[in-house]
Amino acid sequence: MINPPRPFSYLRRSLLFAALLSCVLALPCAAADVIEVGYTGTDSVGIQDDRNLFFIELLKQSLARSGKPYKAVVRVRGATHARQMQMVVDGLIDVLWDAPGPEVDKRLMAIEIPIDKGLIGWRIFFINKEDQPLFSKTTTEAELKKIPLGQVKYWHDTSILRANHFDIVETPTYNGTFKMLMSKRFNYFPRSISEIWSEQKNQQSMLSNVVIEKNLVLHYPIAYFYHVSQANKVLAQDIQHGLEAMLRDGSFDKLFEEFNGELIAKANLKNRHVIHIKNPYMSDETYRKFEHFWFNPETYDSTHPDSSTSDSKTSSSAPR
């Protein structure tokens, strides 16, 4: 005897087919759901510039840990600092990395984790080769202040050095500063230990007589933070949560070491005379707030890159 067809079998088949079809049709939509996060590229005007590669990779990895389909994409190259800030305000890019200062604090919102651990505040100098004896006999802040230095007019560091009464020759552009050093308009150009080696390579064509000074390191508390538009609170929280996840699993410190360990070793900080100055734009309260993040050459251990933050708090205050 032939059994009658099961009730609703055709209906079940139709529903299954409809479900499979909806999955296929949804595939292009999934790609469209990617959330792009725009940033500025690594190239300065006219040269290949590798100084930002760490910040780009850290941004990508922190976004990957947010649980959302973010994709970091380069939107522009060669923009000035002021232009980058305006582009965030206008929504042309979504994130930049910058140090705190009156203008950036007023216009943008910071994710309160010092992403470079304050490495930007450890400064050694480009000098003309024949000036090394001058710096070799310089050991105090007062002596260093008497020697003219070059700084781009609109940089945060220029304001810090001016507030500490250094003898500053302001320059209009980054590349122009190297040319003015070569023409001996001033005696030194302070650069962070995370930047100077890449810059020496990038600017090689114009640095025939310029060397890296061997005796001194100038230090002041300053750090880079990711910044977003004040209206982009969701992105700020997602980047912060991603960074906190990286701090917990140790990948933050490993990435820091991967990009900066060799640069720190080359700077030979333990054998340099350190001159500490204050940053009037960073309060003691702010400094203490991030105390567990700050790079310290006396305690830094490249063989255990996570030692400096392994006991650190990974829960920061909300983005400001």
Side-chain angles (χ1 to χ4, degrees):
M1 180 177 180
I2 300 174
N3 293 327
R6 297 177 62 189
F8 308 114
S9 60
Y10 292 108
L11 177 59
R12 288 195 182 100
R13 289 174 189 169
S14 299
L15 290 173
L16 178 61
F17 176 78
L20 290 171
L21 182 61
S22 66
C23 289
V24 172
L25 294 175
L27 289 176
C29 297
D33 288 337
V34 168
I35 307 168
E36 291 191 348
V37 176
Y39 63 89
T40 57
T42 60
D43 289 345
S44 292
V45 178
I47 63 169
Q48 178 65 33
D49 188 349
D50 297 334
R51 292 172 297 159
N52 292 320
L53 293 180
F54 167 69
F55 303 112
I56 294 170
E57 184 60 28
L58 182 65
L59 176 65
K60 289 178 178 178
Q61 292 196 23
S62 63
L63 289 172
R65 286 164 170 79
S66 70
K68 296 182 181 179
Y70 284 117
K71 181 181 179 181
V73 295
V74 59
R75 292 251 174 86
V76 67
R77 297 182 185 276
T80 64
H81 172 268
R83 177 62 179 147
Q84 289 179 41
M85 192 185 310
Q86 187 60 47
M87 290 175 77
V88 175
V89 173
D90 294 341
L92 299 177
I93 60 175
D94 301 292
V95 61
L96 64 79
W97 35 97
D98 203 353
E103 189 68 15
V104 70
D105 289 350
K106 179 174 68 175
R107 304 184 69 188
L108 304 179
M109 176 169 52
I111 292 90
E112 294 195 330
I113 293 177
I115 53 178
D116 71 332
K117 301 188 181 184
L119 207 60
I120 196 75
W122 292 88
R123 303 246 152 185
I124 55 181
F125 315 147
F126 281 119
I127 64 170
N128 285 297
K129 190 173 1 182
E130 60 271 20
D131 281 342
Q132 182 59 58
L134 171 64
F135 289 93
S136 293
K137 67 181 182 181
T138 298
T139 58
T140 68
E141 178 183 340
E143 291 170 341
L144 187 61
K145 284 179 177 179
K146 294 177 182 178
I147 304 174
L149 67 89
Q151 280 284 133
V152 178
K153 181 176 181 178
Y154 55 80
W155 285 355
H156 293 312
D157 307 272
T158 306
S159 300
I160 294 169
L161 293 166
R162 187 185 299 113
N164 281 276
H165 308 293
F166 278 76
D167 185 357
I168 301 172
V169 177
E170 293 184 349
T171 67
T173 65
Y174 168 72
N175 286 345
T177 308
F178 290 98
K179 295 176 182 177
M180 291 174 69
L181 176 63
M182 285 284 289
S183 64
K184 301 185 179 181
R185 296 279 301 276
F186 44 82
N187 295 89
Y188 66 112
F189 181 20
R191 306 300 296 136
S192 83
I193 63 173
S194 60
E195 299 170 313
I196 197 166
W197 312 108
S198 174
E199 292 175 332
Q200 184 183 44
K201 178 182 177 182
N202 294 337
Q203 302 285 352
Q204 193 170 13
S205 61
M206 70 172 72
L207 297 183
S208 58
N209 191 51
V210 171
V211 297
I212 295 173
E213 198 280 326
K214 301 175 182 177
N215 179 54
L216 299 174
V217 55
L218 177 66
H219 173 252
Y220 42 89
I222 189 172
Y224 277 136
F225 297 79
Y226 288 128
H227 290 78
V228 301
S229 162
Q230 292 182 359
N232 209 344
K233 291 184 171 65
V234 172
L235 178 60
Q237 291 170 354
D238 288 342
I239 293 174
Q240 180 169 314
H241 292 159
L243 290 172
E244 289 173 349
M246 293 183 70
L247 285 165
R248 286 192 297 269
D249 66 21
S251 56
F252 184 108
D253 296 290
K254 288 177 182 175
L255 192 69
F256 177 87
E257 175 63 22
E258 178 185 338
F259 279 87
N260 297 294
E262 184 179 346
L263 309 179
I264 293 168
K266 287 176 72 173
N268 192 27
L269 296 178
K270 290 184 179 180
N271 292 314
R272 288 177 177 268
H273 185 82
V274 183
I275 295 176
H276 295 282
I277 62 173
K278 292 184 177 181
N279 178 357
Y281 305 105
M282 179 174 287
S283 66
D284 292 339
E285 179 183 359
T286 300
Y287 183 83
R288 287 193 298 271
K289 181 178 182 180
F290 302 114
E291 191 167 7
H292 50 280
F293 280 105
W294 296 113
F295 166 78
N296 183 341
E298 296 299 322
T299 58
Y300 171 73
D301 182 0
S302 62
T303 62
H304 297 88
D306 59 344
S307 60
S308 61
T309 55
S310 59
D311 297 327
S312 67
K313 301 172 185 176
T314 58
S315 177
S316 306
S317 59
R320 57 184 173 83

